[in-house]
Structure formats: C-alpha cells, structure tokens
Amino acid sequence: MTLLFPESIQNVLVTGGAGFIGGAVIRRLLTNTTATIFNLDKMGYSSDLTSIEKTVESNPNLISHHRLLNVDLCNEDATAQAIKQSNPDLVLHLAAETHVDRSIDGPHEFLKSNITGTYNLLQAVRSHWDQLPEERQKQFRFHHVSTDEVFGSLGLNGQFSEATPYAPRSPYSASKAASDHLVKAWHHTYGLPIVLTNCSNNYGPWQFPEKLIPLVILKALTKEPIPLYGDGSNIRDWLFVEDHVEGLLLAATNGEVGQSYCIGGSGERTNRQVVNTICDLLDKLHPSTNSYSRLIKQVADRPGHDRRYAINPKRINTELGWYPCHKFEVGLEKTVRWYLKNLNWCEKLSVKSCYKGERIGLIK
Ligand code: DAU
C-alpha cells in the first residue's frame, strides 16, 4: 500500500521503536519515507532491534535515517534532551509496558512507564512545540497509541467505539487509560495538537513470545502444554500488525486534531479458536506424530480476565478510508510461517530477556 506521508515531516520521534508495534512502524517509515527516524527506547526486556537492523542492512542508505536514543521516559532530563536532539515534526508515542499478566505481578512498573513516562514526554514535547516557528507548529502532531482495553470488558453483544466510556479493569489498562487522559488534557489545556488511536489485539512477526499467539506456537513446537486460560471462551479482535501500522500512520498524518480513532481487525475469535487454528496450521506446515491440539490444556484463569473485546472501526473507515487487508486466518498463517523460520531469534530473545514461557500473572 502506498504511504501518503507529507514531505514536510523530516524528523519523526518514535517512542518504543524497539518494541513489536513500534518496530513495524519504524520499518514502514524507513522504507517508505525520507524522514529521519529517532527511535527512543529504554531497551527493556522485550526491546529488540533485529528487525530494524535487517531493514537497514538491506539498504545501507537507510543507516543515517535511523537513530537510536537509549532513553527511559521515566528520566525527565534525558527525555527533555531527547526531544531537543530529535527536533521532531511528528511524535509517535508507542513506548509502554503492555503485558496484562506482568501488570498483575508488578503494577508499579506500569504506573511509572505508562503514566509518569507519558507525563514527562508530554511536558518535553509541549516546550518543544511552544518554540517551533509558526508553520512547523501548525503541522506538528503528537500521536498517542493506545489500546481498546481502556474501555473494559464487553458481554456477548456490542462493540467499543470512540464514544465508549472508559472502564479499565487491569493495572495495565488502568495505566493506559490514565495516559490517554493525560494526552487529552494536554490538548484541552495547553492546545498540544494530539491524535489518539485505540487498537485491538495485534499479532504478526517479531512479537515477543509472552503474548498468546507466539507463546502458543513456541509451546507447541517444544511439545510443552499449551496454556488456555479459563474455559478458552474469552474473545479478542485480532489485528495484523502491518494493518495497524497503516491505520495509525494515517490517523497521525490525516486525523483530526484532538480526535481519537478505534482500530480493529474485524477478527473476533475465541481464544480456543485461535489456539486450535494455530495447531491446525502447525499440523500442516510442520507435521508431528500427533496433532499439536493434543497439547492444549485448560489452566487457571487470569485474575480479572476481560471477557470480550471488539472494535467498531466505522470512524476510521469512513473518515480516513482505512480497512484491514488481512483476514485473520491469512495473517495467522503468515505469522506461523515466520516463527517457523525464525526460531533462532526467539531463542536469542528468550536468553536475553530471561523469559522462558513460564506462567505469570497469577495471584499467590
Ligand atoms: O486489546 C489490545 C491488547 O491486547 C493490548 O493493549 C495489550 O498490550 C496486549 O497484550 C493484548 O492484551 P491481551 O491480554 O488480550 O493479550 P494476551 O496475548 O496476553 O492474551 C490474549 C488472550 O489469550 C487473553 O484472553 C488471555 C489469553 N491467554 C493468554 C496467554 C498468554 C491464554 O489463554 N493463554 C496464554 O498463555
């Protein structure tokens, strides 16, 4: 898909660019724009630059277009310095602690990164924006990437939309909701030109294997039990990461200032359906003596487990013309094939992060 990216945007600051979604954003910008991309990342347990390094290796002209700023947004001075250094025309804020189970074990990290980190960033960006010449100031955008989890949990019917009241239920989603409120407050109070997106569950290549889809693929391949929380009937709306990137860049560059856009994949599936489909794909692509589905095991439920998420993407469809390109089963097959070819990367990450697929987020 062609990316309509204004040429006036020369410097883009992406926070969390060594993460799964941030990395996909950076790869897209590097290969499709001439902008310089400043990648602000604290290089935490799930941060990894391999995908960006590969992109840059394939075209050495891109080396000077990617600059890593190894900064933790919790560090106020370093954040202010990073904004000065990058002199951005556009800020895409994706840095966040994102894993619900980890937020149950250690909520403080989530409050620090997602709330204080966003606050420090907003303050630094506001003083940068205040000093910009009129033309650049008019075009400047702060785009905050958030989640549908801020809206809470749905029953069997209904969908989240931009008008849905906030009702977060996990430490993670509460911290993201707080960051959304801060971003909106900085717009209403200080006039900072913000745009916000709330997306559904992302999946695709390069996702850290603590999230359902990569975790299930790796458990199956190592012949370990595949953990299905509760009765497996919780529902998520799956969105292929590259489709999400198109939507968020469109919102960042063409969205209405002060507005939020819900981005969903129109891919509602129960967790049991997701896990079964992965097993079927592995049976086809990497056959073993027994079907992988034999490894599926119901385990204790996640505390406070949200029942169902589903997005009504009407606003982004009609106002910005965005639609997802990947049907879930197509995106999932691409993803499974990718993991089968990239088991070395998973192994390397597991050693670096000290995460080996163990169950987390149970209250003892
Ligand atoms: O909706 C968007 C959100 O999607 C993002 O904001 C979060 O950052 C992202 O982590 C994701 O949240 P979930 O909690 O839905 O994703 P997760 O992959 O952890 O779990 C997906 C579903 O699968 C959820 O209902 C819990 C279930 N699950 C998860 C794991 C890790 C299992 O049944 N077994 C598992 O081992």
Side-chain angles (χ1 to χ4, degrees):
M1 205 188 267
T2 342
L3 180 61
L4 295 171
F5 200 76
E7 282 197 5
S8 55
I9 301 180
Q10 288 176 1
N11 295 335
V12 183
L13 178 75
V14 180
T15 74
F20 166 53
I21 306 175
V25 168
I26 291 190
R27 296 194 301 277
R28 182 73 164 122
L29 291 175
L30 282 174
T31 44
N32 295 277
T33 75
T34 53
T36 301
I37 316 300
F38 293 85
N39 178 356
L40 184 159
D41 200 289
K42 69 176 178 183
M43 299 308 291
Y45 75 96
S46 61
S47 301
D48 185 70
L49 292 168
T50 314
S51 77
I52 295 172
E53 284 161 1
K54 282 194 179 220
T55 305
V56 168
E57 271 163 28
S58 68
N59 180 353
N61 293 333
L62 298 179
I63 292 177
S64 59
H65 284 262
H66 177 250
R67 314 256 171 93
L68 177 68
L69 305 172
N70 189 343
V71 167
D72 186 340
L73 291 175
C74 292
N75 182 331
E76 195 183 338
D77 292 341
T79 302
Q81 188 49 42
I83 299 298
K84 282 206 182 95
Q85 191 183 335
S86 55
N87 185 20
D89 301 295
L90 171 67
V91 174
L92 301 169
H93 179 33
L94 293 102
E97 290 295 334
T98 66
H99 194 44
V100 175
D101 292 333
R102 279 183 200 269
S103 83
I104 297 168
D105 288 341
H108 192 211
E109 248 345 279
F110 286 71
L111 271 55
K112 283 196 293 181
S113 288
N114 301 355
I115 306 177
T116 308
T118 299
Y119 162 74
N120 287 339
L121 181 66
L122 283 166
Q123 284 292 69
V125 168
R126 179 163 76 95
S127 58
H128 163 72
W129 173 72
D130 267 343
Q131 292 162 22
L132 284 176
E134 203 183 326
E135 211 33 49
R136 279 187 73 198
Q137 196 176 60
K138 248 197 274 166
Q139 289 180 359
F140 182 86
R141 294 289 179 274
F142 180 97
H143 182 95
H144 179 58
V145 176
S146 190
T147 166
D148 59 359
E149 295 200 14
V150 298
F151 302 123
S153 179
L154 291 166
L156 278 182
N157 299 309
Q159 289 179 315
F160 299 133
S161 77
E162 295 77 7
T164 306
Y166 277 49
R169 301 179 354 135
S170 73
Y172 158 66
S173 54
S175 69
K176 283 299 281 184
S179 70
D180 289 16
H181 290 314
L182 289 175
V183 170
K184 288 178 189 177
W186 260 241
H187 171 61
H188 289 292
T189 306
Y190 304 109
L192 190 71
I194 63 109
V195 179
L196 215 138
T197 45
N198 295 89
C199 68
S200 61
N201 282 62
N202 280 231
Y203 70 101
W206 304 107
Q207 187 170 34
F208 187 80
E210 63 190 349
K211 303 286 165 88
L212 179 69
I213 290 178
L215 185 99
V216 167
I217 299 170
L218 296 186
K219 291 279 182 200
L221 291 174
T222 48
K223 305 272 167 56
E224 288 175 66
I226 297 171
L228 193 56
Y229 294 178
D231 63 3
S233 65
N234 298 62
I235 294 174
R236 297 293 183 262
D237 175 356
W238 295 95
L239 170 64
F240 193 63
V241 63
E242 288 169 18
D243 287 335
H244 178 203
V245 168
E246 296 309 311
L248 79 84
L249 289 176
L250 205 54
T253 52
N254 290 295
E256 195 183 321
V257 170
Q259 195 63 270
S260 67
Y261 296 85
C262 284
I263 310 184
S266 300
E268 276 188 65
R269 301 288 184 280
T270 64
N271 292 337
R272 190 177 289 281
Q273 284 172 320
V274 172
V275 170
N276 278 329
T277 313
I278 294 172
C279 290
D280 292 347
L281 282 166
L282 286 172
D283 286 342
K284 177 175 94 174
L285 300 171
H286 195 265
S288 165
T289 344
N290 294 312
S291 166
Y292 290 98
S293 58
R294 285 197 178 195
L295 296 165
I296 299 171
K297 185 169 178 269
Q298 277 184 223
V299 296
D301 209 352
R302 170 185 283 174
H305 198 175
D306 287 338
R307 192 88 215 134
R308 175 172 163 257
Y309 305 143
I311 290 257
N312 176 347
K314 199 166 159 215
R315 176 179 284 167
I316 193 161
N317 292 164
T318 53
E319 290 183 21
L320 300 177
W322 174 88
Y323 292 87
C325 295
H326 293 81
K327 198 177 165 301
F328 179 64
E329 283 67 23
V330 175
L332 191 61
E333 176 154 351
K334 264 194 191 178
T335 306
V336 171
R337 284 183 186 276
W338 185 89
Y339 276 92
L340 282 170
K341 281 204 193 123
N342 289 276
L343 293 171
N344 284 348
W345 175 77
C346 299
E347 183 53 37
K348 201 182 82 186
L349 211 57
S350 159
V351 172
K352 201 169 78 175
S353 66
C354 298
Y355 180 66
K356 312 238 172 302
E358 61 274 18
R359 177 75 194 265
I360 47 181
L362 282 176
I363 304 167
K364 277 128 207 158

